[in-house]
Amino acid sequence: MVKQRIVYACTQCGASTPQWRGQCPDCGAWNSLEEVTQPTVRVRARAPTGHSVRPVAASSVDLAPDSRVETGLSELDRVLGGGLVSGAVVLVGGEPGIGKSTLLLQVLGNLAGDIVRVLYVTGEESIRQVALRARRLGVAADRVHLLAETRVESVLEVVERESPRIVVIDSIQTMFTEALQSAPGSVAQVRESAARLVRHAKDRSFSVLLVGHVTKDGAIAGPRVLEHMVDTVLYFESEADRRFRVIRAVKNRFGAANEIGLFAMTEKGLREVRNPSAIFLARGAAEVAGSVVTVVREGTRPLLVEIQALVDEASGPPRRLTVGLEQGRLNMLLAVLHRHAGVSTQGLDVYANVVGGVRITETGADLAVLAAVRSILGERPIEHGLMVFGEVGLAGEIRPVPGGEERVREAAKHGFSRALVPTANVPRRLPHGIDVTGVERVDRALDLI
Ligand code: TYD
Ligand code: MG
């Protein structure tokens, strides 16, 4: 008989503690501990017989490049770092209804062939529902094998028998293993089920795509608890009611982190967007105050985005709200604006927004944020042909950012005629049709804008 013990697992970070507490000792979240039953596992004192434990010389390790398959969606291949690595475990997270099942069914349809066997394990929808969707999406239905199952042991039996090269688990939150008593969806179950699949995938070198639902309130075990176990973590970033979907690699053992891919949801499923800059830049013809274009670099790709700012009289403590930008960064930038450019936002609410639903994780947009705020404060529109980028430091200096030349080239490609950039980022050879000015101080830059 398997002995059981009660532990308390954090729904936020997955850490477990033997005693209940109001606050997770690991991540500090409040009221996040839930009771789980765990089997007590006896640690084996010796290695199993016939299995020697021995280190190997680094030089003797096979260093052939990972073999990859293209998924048929180049935007997804880009996020994966150049296609799906065989034997890789990829977690695909996002809110319910964002398009995870749609994306993975399309991918399986593209990859399924005479040689590549694929398996779609559904724990949420019935086989019929999945088959209907497959027909609607026009995927090669005879080649995609479906399995409605939530017991990991059964899934692994099927995998053993059929040896598919790619397995989709939709979703990991519905899976359970008999080894644990706790309910499916609990942190312990999600983690253990995933661990079993990962171990199997590595042993048999098939790829696994795990779907994980992200819930806003974090009431059930979120995919975060799995991030450290898998090779690649992709999250859908945009909201389900938008037409465009941004997928970001927040972790990738086989490619650049923060790489993003852009898709549009159509009645035929997700379609890749080949020129995202053009999408994010769709603006009206009139020049309006509080709007400016910058080039950000998420992952390895330069992307033109529009930054908007709005100020309004505060009817209480002034608020600083951001969409797509870090709020703390906005606070800091406003302090620099006051201290080093003499422009105060005291008594004003300040809003900053990245148009199009993309989230900026780097500092290259700093100068654009300040330019947009300055523009709305003075009610002075910024000319359409101008692009600005640069990191702003606490001393009011403008610092260079990686990929300066590439950013300027992206702006020139989309018809921008003037750029204001950190002096060290001014390209030695200017792309055709763009005039680039280097700036070193915030006050001077805002004057020039
Ligand atoms: P789905 O893949 O079921 O989301 P998830 O698995 O992340 O919960 O996507 C569901 C949404 O996508 C749903 O609102 C319908 C829409 N959709 C389309 O617009 N076109 C399509 O071809 C498909 C299959 C779904
Ligand atoms: Mg789904």
Side-chain angles (χ1 to χ4, degrees), residues 309-359:
L310 181 68
V311 294
D312 194 14
E313 249 169 64
S315 58
R319 294 191 295 173
R320 275 86 178 87
L321 282 180
T322 56
V323 179
L325 293 157
E326 216 184 295
Q327 195 182 331
R329 193 104 201 140
L330 176 64
N331 286 329
M332 188 204 93
L333 291 171
L334 293 177
V336 174
L337 185 67
H338 187 205
R339 184 76 175 77
H340 296 286
V343 179
S344 167
T345 51
Q346 209 183 355
L348 296 171
D349 289 336
V350 181
Y351 305 88
N353 173 39
V354 183
V355 178
V358 66
R359 193 166 56 85

Side-chain angles (χ1 to χ4, degrees), residues 168-438:
V168 166
I169 304 288
D170 190 0
S171 66
I172 189 63
Q173 275 113 336
T174 59
M175 296 293 141
F176 76 98
T177 160
E178 281 176 344
L180 302 187
Q181 296 277 302
S182 47
S186 66
V187 178
Q189 277 291 4
V190 167
R191 259 207 299 201
E192 186 54 29
S193 300
R196 278 167 195 242
L197 288 159
V198 170
R199 222 175 301 138
H200 230 77
K202 297 294 168 193
D203 283 352
R204 300 273 189 278
S205 71
F206 58 90
S207 308
V208 180
L209 297 151
L210 300 173
V211 170
H213 290 295
V214 178
T215 49
K216 286 217 171 97
D217 57 356
I220 55 166
R224 294 215 157 258
V225 302
L226 303 178
E227 284 180 359
H228 67 282
M229 282 186 212
V230 301
D231 300 307
T232 303
V233 180
L234 308 183
Y235 280 119
F236 275 87
E237 280 196 340
S238 31
E239 275 145 42
D241 57 354
R242 297 202 188 222
R243 196 156 74 84
F244 295 105
R245 305 288 150 90
V246 177
I247 299 180
R248 184 187 298 265
V250 298
K251 162 183 170 179
N252 195 356
R253 286 190 184 138
F254 307 116
N258 275 329
E259 197 74 76
I260 61 176
L262 197 77
F263 299 85
M265 183 57 98
T266 70
E267 60 287 359
K268 282 257 166 231
L270 288 160
R271 289 276 170 273
E272 51 203 331
V273 172
R274 292 195 187 263
N275 189 353
S277 282
I279 299 276
F280 289 130
L281 273 193
R283 320 187 262 181
E287 289 175 351
V288 290
S291 149
V292 67
V293 170
T294 188
V295 184
V296 292
R297 197 154 162 275
E298 294 295 329
T300 60
R301 165 158 67 186
L303 202 59
L304 282 159
V305 290
E306 179 186 348
I307 306 281
Q308 293 180 325
L310 181 68
V311 294
D312 194 14
E313 249 169 64
S315 58
R319 294 191 295 173
R320 275 86 178 87
L321 282 180
T322 56
V323 179
L325 293 157
E326 216 184 295
Q327 195 182 331
R329 193 104 201 140
L330 176 64
N331 286 329
M332 188 204 93
L333 291 171
L334 293 177
V336 174
L337 185 67
H338 187 205
R339 184 76 175 77
H340 296 286
V343 179
S344 167
T345 51
Q346 209 183 355
L348 296 171
D349 289 336
V350 181
Y351 305 88
N353 173 39
V354 183
V355 178
V358 66
R359 193 166 56 85
I360 298 180
T361 59
E362 56 128 27
T363 55
D366 286 357
L367 185 56
V369 172
L370 286 187
V373 171
R374 181 76 196 86
S375 159
I376 190 72
L377 278 170
E379 291 290 345
R380 277 196 304 254
I382 294 171
E383 57 178 280
H384 260 183
L386 176 71
M387 180 279 287
V388 306
F389 70 80
E391 176 176 326
V392 172
L394 284 180
E397 81 279 20
I398 293 174
R399 300 170 160 271
V401 289
E405 190 165 341
E406 222 186 328
R407 295 184 204 232
V408 171
R409 237 185 293 129
E410 181 74 3
K413 199 169 94 191
H414 287 87
F416 284 79
S417 55
R418 202 156 82 84
L420 217 63
V421 311
T423 301
N425 280 140
V426 176
R428 248 169 267 143
R429 281 191 50 221
L430 284 189
H432 185 70
I434 193 163
D435 184 33
V436 182
T437 311

Side-chain angles (χ1 to χ4, degrees), residues 97 100-102 120 124-125 133 170 211 213:
K100 302 180 293 296
S101 304
T102 305
Y120 186 102
E124 271 172 23
E125 293 165 302
R133 177 183 288 141
D170 190 0
V211 170
H213 290 295

Side-chain angles (χ1 to χ4, degrees), residues 127-170:
I127 295 256
R128 192 184 137 74
Q129 283 171 310
V130 179
L132 274 173
R133 177 183 288 141
R135 186 198 297 168
R136 199 145 73 80
L137 291 170
V139 310
D142 51 333
R143 291 182 167 163
V144 176
H145 288 201
L146 307 178
L147 175 70
E149 184 58 69
T150 55
R151 187 172 155 264
V152 173
E153 286 78 6
S154 312
V155 172
L156 292 178
E157 272 165 36
V158 173
V159 167
E160 198 77 357
R161 204 166 56 228
E162 314 261 312
S163 36
R165 305 296 305 144
I166 301 159
V167 179
V168 166
I169 304 288
D170 190 0

